[in-house]
Amino acid sequence: MFALWYDASTRSVSAVNGSGRSAAASSIRDVKMAYPPSSSSSEEEDEELLHSRYRDGVHAITVPGAAMGWEDVHREYGSGRLSLSDLLGPAIRLAEDGFPVGPMTSYAWRSQMDVVTRWHAREEEEDAEGGGGGKIELGVDGTGRGPRPGEVFRNPNLARVLRGVGERGARDGFYRGFPGEAIVEAVRRHGGSMTIDDLANHTSSTFPEPIFVDYRGMRVWEVPPNGQGVAGLIALEGLGSLERNGIVGGGGRATSPRSPREDDGPSSDEGSTHRRRHHPQPSCDMLHAQIEMMRLGFGDARAYVCDPDFAAREESTTKWLLNSERISQRAMGLFDEEKATIHGRPDSTSCTVSFQVVDGEGNAMSFVNRYVYFSCPVCYFLFGYSVSRPIRSSTTACVASAQKQTNRNSNYMGFGTGLTPANCGFTLQNRGAGFSLDPSHPNALEPNKRPYHTIIPAMVTHADTGELYATLTNMGGFMQPQGHLQLVVNLLAYGMDPQTAIDAPRFCIGDGTMNGTVFLEEGFHPDTIAKLKSMGHNMKANISGHERHWFGRAQIITRDRDSGVLCAGSDGRADGCALGY
């Protein structure tokens, strides 16, 4: 759980890091002993197998920080008029009474049930309709089947967990209560090392100073590492350097995006004379620059980002990572206007619920939560909305944009490990997969350490006055900093409104590395695709259907500094919405 809070009275931004740590007994040695190499495979194959088995197993489970994070956010930023129990009430009722599952959530849920059922014996999957009474808590009627679109799903065990958190608080109702005991029992039964002390020692979130860069007169804020927000800021700073030096974009409004119109010729992917209209989108030159700068950002982040409590090297500090002169030198030195050149070039010194809320007093929150712990996406989408609603406002002139993430990138493989603590109604994540198993890496797995995290909120303020301009997120694994970059450019360089900025087609460097394949969403103009290919980009174009999960799900609220009018957009790629109330 990560959040950014904007206080209108002081025009200041605060950050909350609610991520949990590895178990005190965690070690790379134990991971390698648990998953020994095969005698018949190569060293490279052994390494790939080790990482995949670690990613999917109990050793990748870290202490769940979300429950304490909710309590901390409520205590620090709530209005004081509603208790934590009050706020959890709607979620408890949804879990007990049930809710109709949305179509995209249903698709992801059903496609990932094998991750849950693999921990259960076959007899536990017996069809309840046939009289067997299955025991799989995240399946319909205890079976191994996920809910169909529109089917009502009930989760009374989750309701009991939430009620305990609301009535007894996170420490006694979760970490030291029956959920904590169930978590430890499930992990240790399958060979993990987590103890009740690991859970009990998670007593608070952290409140670090948020980080930022300035772009086109605005200040873009992120939560500092161990999250990956710094990757997006490095990319944005690099892009700004290219613009200031006249390489791309110019000093004012960027080259006008392509507007909705008919193609000049046949659609290249259809091979016919059928003409299509295209959504407003960045120019090819700007898109090329964003992809290249994002590679720079990922190069630094994947090489150096780690838990700041373990940052022994200067390169892992935000001061070094966000040094504008360093970023500018790399951007200007490596970027080529005519071809893709930034591959494998780190410095030589080397899923989820999200909501945005702005209240009647101008306070704002950008919030991202790892819903997979509780595996009740709609429930936690509404829970998040309930937490946000009473933010220090005496009015009801508020706007919210919220979504539940439904793809496997939202929280490291959808249902995480898929392991379900008994009678809790949620699965355990695999956030430890964010660690490196290279002991020399800054982000190497160690005891009581927070891993590299993908989930990140963002906020934008006017650089001159500190007034709020926008609060936004773009859920979806490694897509998130790339989404922040593209949304900010769409808003500031092209002047798009929130919904248009969200609806514009996106690119995604799939694995979040400097060398990863670039996926292009369906909707880019054929001329743009052809030119990017000619530049040498390693890419796959026209991604459509459910494969659009690569591009995440975004939501934005902007505020007009003159009129105070709020404008919200929510992503049609998911089961979300924007609301004024």
Side-chain angles (χ1 to χ4, degrees), residues 512-527:
T513 68
M514 293 188 76
N515 295 317
T517 299
V518 179
F519 295 91
L520 294 182
E521 188 173 20
E522 182 181 48
F524 280 107
H525 195 279
D527 292 348

PDB file of all heavy atoms in Angstrom, residues 512-527:
ATOM      1  N   GLY A 512       9.885  -4.267 -17.904  1.00  0.00           N
ATOM      2  CA  GLY A 512      10.430  -3.203 -17.077  1.00  0.00           C
ATOM      3  C   GLY A 512      11.939  -3.171 -17.033  1.00  0.00           C
ATOM      4  O   GLY A 512      12.526  -2.837 -16.004  1.00  0.00           O
ATOM      5  N   THR A 513      12.590  -3.502 -18.143  1.00  0.00           N
ATOM      6  CA  THR A 513      14.049  -3.456 -18.217  1.00  0.00           C
ATOM      7  C   THR A 513      14.466  -2.601 -19.404  1.00  0.00           C
ATOM      8  O   THR A 513      13.650  -2.219 -20.245  1.00  0.00           O
ATOM      9  CB  THR A 513      14.667  -4.860 -18.382  1.00  0.00           C
ATOM     10  OG1 THR A 513      14.320  -5.365 -19.686  1.00  0.00           O
ATOM     11  CG2 THR A 513      14.162  -5.811 -17.307  1.00  0.00           C
ATOM     12  N   MET A 514      15.776  -2.346 -19.514  1.00  0.00           N
ATOM     13  CA  MET A 514      16.271  -1.547 -20.629  1.00  0.00           C
ATOM     14  C   MET A 514      16.139  -2.278 -21.962  1.00  0.00           C
ATOM     15  O   MET A 514      16.037  -1.648 -23.010  1.00  0.00           O
ATOM     16  CB  MET A 514      17.737  -1.171 -20.394  1.00  0.00           C
ATOM     17  CG  MET A 514      17.955  -0.222 -19.232  1.00  0.00           C
ATOM     18  SD  MET A 514      19.646   0.369 -19.162  1.00  0.00           S
ATOM     19  CE  MET A 514      19.650   1.569 -20.477  1.00  0.00           C
ATOM     20  N   ASN A 515      16.157  -3.597 -21.937  1.00  0.00           N
ATOM     21  CA  ASN A 515      16.170  -4.380 -23.165  1.00  0.00           C
ATOM     22  C   ASN A 515      14.821  -4.975 -23.529  1.00  0.00           C
ATOM     23  O   ASN A 515      14.714  -5.689 -24.524  1.00  0.00           O
ATOM     24  CB  ASN A 515      17.185  -5.525 -23.044  1.00  0.00           C
ATOM     25  CG  ASN A 515      18.600  -5.010 -22.926  1.00  0.00           C
ATOM     26  OD1 ASN A 515      18.991  -4.089 -23.624  1.00  0.00           O
ATOM     27  ND2 ASN A 515      19.369  -5.593 -22.023  1.00  0.00           N
ATOM     28  N   GLY A 516      13.793  -4.726 -22.719  1.00  0.00           N
ATOM     29  CA  GLY A 516      12.520  -5.391 -22.910  1.00  0.00           C
ATOM     30  C   GLY A 516      11.812  -5.009 -24.205  1.00  0.00           C
ATOM     31  O   GLY A 516      11.995  -3.915 -24.748  1.00  0.00           O
ATOM     32  N   THR A 517      10.983  -5.919 -24.694  1.00  0.00           N
ATOM     33  CA  THR A 517      10.169  -5.664 -25.887  1.00  0.00           C
ATOM     34  C   THR A 517       9.156  -4.561 -25.605  1.00  0.00           C
ATOM     35  O   THR A 517       8.532  -4.523 -24.539  1.00  0.00           O
ATOM     36  CB  THR A 517       9.427  -6.943 -26.307  1.00  0.00           C
ATOM     37  OG1 THR A 517      10.383  -7.959 -26.623  1.00  0.00           O
ATOM     38  CG2 THR A 517       8.533  -6.692 -27.509  1.00  0.00           C
ATOM     39  N   VAL A 518       8.986  -3.656 -26.563  1.00  0.00           N
ATOM     40  CA  VAL A 518       7.992  -2.592 -26.450  1.00  0.00           C
ATOM     41  C   VAL A 518       6.689  -3.075 -27.071  1.00  0.00           C
ATOM     42  O   VAL A 518       6.650  -3.444 -28.250  1.00  0.00           O
ATOM     43  CB  VAL A 518       8.450  -1.311 -27.171  1.00  0.00           C
ATOM     44  CG1 VAL A 518       7.374  -0.230 -27.053  1.00  0.00           C
ATOM     45  CG2 VAL A 518       9.754  -0.807 -26.598  1.00  0.00           C
ATOM     46  N   PHE A 519       5.624  -3.102 -26.273  1.00  0.00           N
ATOM     47  CA  PHE A 519       4.299  -3.446 -26.773  1.00  0.00           C
ATOM     48  C   PHE A 519       3.551  -2.151 -27.092  1.00  0.00           C
ATOM     49  O   PHE A 519       3.560  -1.212 -26.295  1.00  0.00           O
ATOM     50  CB  PHE A 519       3.528  -4.263 -25.737  1.00  0.00           C
ATOM     51  CG  PHE A 519       4.137  -5.605 -25.452  1.00  0.00           C
ATOM     52  CD1 PHE A 519       5.062  -5.774 -24.444  1.00  0.00           C
ATOM     53  CD2 PHE A 519       3.791  -6.714 -26.217  1.00  0.00           C
ATOM     54  CE1 PHE A 519       5.633  -7.005 -24.184  1.00  0.00           C
ATOM     55  CE2 PHE A 519       4.354  -7.956 -25.968  1.00  0.00           C
ATOM     56  CZ  PHE A 519       5.276  -8.099 -24.949  1.00  0.00           C
ATOM     57  N   LEU A 520       2.927  -2.108 -28.256  1.00  0.00           N
ATOM     58  CA  LEU A 520       2.129  -0.953 -28.660  1.00  0.00           C
ATOM     59  C   LEU A 520       0.666  -1.359 -28.716  1.00  0.00           C
ATOM     60  O   LEU A 520       0.296  -2.319 -29.397  1.00  0.00           O
ATOM     61  CB  LEU A 520       2.565  -0.429 -30.029  1.00  0.00           C
ATOM     62  CG  LEU A 520       3.963   0.168 -30.150  1.00  0.00           C
ATOM     63  CD1 LEU A 520       4.181   0.677 -31.566  1.00  0.00           C
ATOM     64  CD2 LEU A 520       4.161   1.301 -29.158  1.00  0.00           C
ATOM     65  N   GLU A 521      -0.147  -0.604 -28.016  1.00  0.00           N
ATOM     66  CA  GLU A 521      -1.571  -0.901 -27.968  1.00  0.00           C
ATOM     67  C   GLU A 521      -2.233  -0.632 -29.316  1.00  0.00           C
ATOM     68  O   GLU A 521      -1.815   0.266 -30.065  1.00  0.00           O
ATOM     69  CB  GLU A 521      -2.222  -0.048 -26.886  1.00  0.00           C
ATOM     70  CG  GLU A 521      -3.665  -0.391 -26.584  1.00  0.00           C
ATOM     71  CD  GLU A 521      -4.191   0.387 -25.389  1.00  0.00           C
ATOM     72  OE1 GLU A 521      -3.606   1.437 -25.036  1.00  0.00           O
ATOM     73  OE2 GLU A 521      -5.196  -0.061 -24.809  1.00  0.00           O
ATOM     74  N   GLU A 522      -3.273  -1.385 -29.604  1.00  0.00           N
ATOM     75  CA  GLU A 522      -4.074  -1.124 -30.791  1.00  0.00           C
ATOM     76  C   GLU A 522      -4.577   0.315 -30.753  1.00  0.00           C
ATOM     77  O   GLU A 522      -5.001   0.813 -29.707  1.00  0.00           O
ATOM     78  CB  GLU A 522      -5.265  -2.078 -30.815  1.00  0.00           C
ATOM     79  CG  GLU A 522      -6.145  -1.934 -32.048  1.00  0.00           C
ATOM     80  CD  GLU A 522      -7.329  -2.884 -32.005  1.00  0.00           C
ATOM     81  OE1 GLU A 522      -7.998  -2.939 -30.948  1.00  0.00           O
ATOM     82  OE2 GLU A 522      -7.585  -3.563 -33.008  1.00  0.00           O
ATOM     83  N   GLY A 523      -4.516   0.994 -31.888  1.00  0.00           N
ATOM     84  CA  GLY A 523      -4.995   2.368 -31.959  1.00  0.00           C
ATOM     85  C   GLY A 523      -3.947   3.351 -32.421  1.00  0.00           C
ATOM     86  O   GLY A 523      -4.275   4.483 -32.802  1.00  0.00           O
ATOM     87  N   PHE A 524      -2.659   2.969 -32.410  1.00  0.00           N
ATOM     88  CA  PHE A 524      -1.639   3.852 -32.954  1.00  0.00           C
ATOM     89  C   PHE A 524      -1.768   3.889 -34.480  1.00  0.00           C
ATOM     90  O   PHE A 524      -2.099   2.889 -35.128  1.00  0.00           O
ATOM     91  CB  PHE A 524      -0.232   3.385 -32.568  1.00  0.00           C
ATOM     92  CG  PHE A 524       0.174   3.780 -31.179  1.00  0.00           C
ATOM     93  CD1 PHE A 524       0.231   2.840 -30.163  1.00  0.00           C
ATOM     94  CD2 PHE A 524       0.492   5.098 -30.885  1.00  0.00           C
ATOM     95  CE1 PHE A 524       0.599   3.196 -28.877  1.00  0.00           C
ATOM     96  CE2 PHE A 524       0.864   5.470 -29.607  1.00  0.00           C
ATOM     97  CZ  PHE A 524       0.911   4.524 -28.595  1.00  0.00           C
ATOM     98  N   HIS A 525      -1.482   5.057 -35.035  1.00  0.00           N
ATOM     99  CA  HIS A 525      -1.579   5.219 -36.479  1.00  0.00           C
ATOM    100  C   HIS A 525      -0.559   4.321 -37.177  1.00  0.00           C
ATOM    101  O   HIS A 525       0.574   4.166 -36.710  1.00  0.00           O
ATOM    102  CB  HIS A 525      -1.354   6.681 -36.860  1.00  0.00           C
ATOM    103  CG  HIS A 525      -1.777   7.025 -38.232  1.00  0.00           C
ATOM    104  ND1 HIS A 525      -1.005   6.760 -39.341  1.00  0.00           N
ATOM    105  CD2 HIS A 525      -2.921   7.609 -38.696  1.00  0.00           C
ATOM    106  CE1 HIS A 525      -1.637   7.164 -40.420  1.00  0.00           C
ATOM    107  NE2 HIS A 525      -2.807   7.693 -40.058  1.00  0.00           N
ATOM    108  N   PRO A 526      -0.933   3.694 -38.295  1.00  0.00           N
ATOM    109  CA  PRO A 526       0.008   2.833 -39.016  1.00  0.00           C
ATOM    110  C   PRO A 526       1.321   3.519 -39.381  1.00  0.00           C
ATOM    111  O   PRO A 526       2.378   2.881 -39.377  1.00  0.00           O
ATOM    112  CB  PRO A 526      -0.773   2.437 -40.277  1.00  0.00           C
ATOM    113  CG  PRO A 526      -2.206   2.540 -39.884  1.00  0.00           C
ATOM    114  CD  PRO A 526      -2.286   3.667 -38.911  1.00  0.00           C
ATOM    115  N   ASP A 527       1.273   4.824 -39.678  1.00  0.00           N
ATOM    116  CA  ASP A 527       2.506   5.541 -40.005  1.00  0.00           C
ATOM    117  C   ASP A 527       3.444   5.592 -38.803  1.00  0.00           C
ATOM    118  O   ASP A 527       4.666   5.492 -38.949  1.00  0.00           O
ATOM    119  CB  ASP A 527       2.182   6.964 -40.452  1.00  0.00           C
ATOM    120  CG  ASP A 527       1.441   7.021 -41.785  1.00  0.00           C
ATOM    121  OD1 ASP A 527       1.387   5.965 -42.455  1.00  0.00           O
ATOM    122  OD2 ASP A 527       0.937   8.097 -42.135  1.00  0.00           O
TER     123      ASP A 527
END
